[in-house]
Amino acid sequence: MKKFQIAQSAILALMFASTAQAEVYDGVLQSSGVRSRTEVDAEAAAVAQKEDPYREAASSRVIAPLGYSKSRDTVNAEAVKEAHSANQNLTGKAYYRDAIPSQYVNQPRQVNAAK
């Protein structure tokens, strides 16, 4: 009985070994044609100029921000003026009943922005 099982397993092993075949490797990339380096560079430059469809918010339908109406110098002057004003850091939390005293509310200090 034991010899029969060994012979049977040997026959099955030979059957499986005879049907096993290796696959033919043709490579990963198949080239469809030959182009010169200048043609590829020109195509790459054209694709690089196109809008990226995979960028962030490409499909979100969010409108791009509009330009600013103030000049950079105007915004800078306003920022300097606010940074030097006496009441820039006042909050109601620092005063009784969360109310800023009237002497601090409408008295911004006049500062020359050219310092």
Side-chain angles (χ1 to χ4, degrees):
M1 180 87 162
K2 198 167 196 181
K3 290 181 184 180
F4 178 71
Q5 288 177 347
I6 293 173
Q8 188 180 13
S9 62
I11 290 171
L12 284 174
L14 286 173
M15 281 179 33
F16 287 125
S18 65
T19 58
Q21 296 178 2
E23 293 182 15
V24 177
Y25 179 72
D26 292 328
V28 178
L29 299 175
Q30 300 292 329
S31 62
S32 60
V34 177
R35 296 187 297 173
S36 68
R37 184 177 292 261
T38 56
E39 291 173 341
V40 173
D41 287 342
E43 183 181 350
V47 170
Q49 295 298 323
K50 289 184 182 178
E51 191 171 332
D52 182 15
Y54 303 108
R55 72 189 183 282
E56 186 177 333
S59 62
S60 67
R61 298 187 181 113
V62 175
I63 299 173
L66 301 174
Y68 295 105
S69 61
K70 294 182 180 180
S71 71
R72 186 179 192 104
D73 295 331
T74 304
V75 173
N76 189 25
E78 289 176 2
V80 168
K81 179 181 173 186
E82 287 296 320
H84 288 95
S85 68
N87 60 356
Q88 69 162 336
N89 292 326
L90 291 180
T91 62
K93 296 176 188 176
Y95 297 98
Y96 177 68
R97 292 191 179 169
D98 295 336
I100 299 174
S102 61
Q103 66 263 25
Y104 293 119
V105 177
N106 293 322
Q107 295 180 1
R109 192 173 59 170
Q110 296 296 326
V111 177
N112 186 5
K115 280 187 177 181

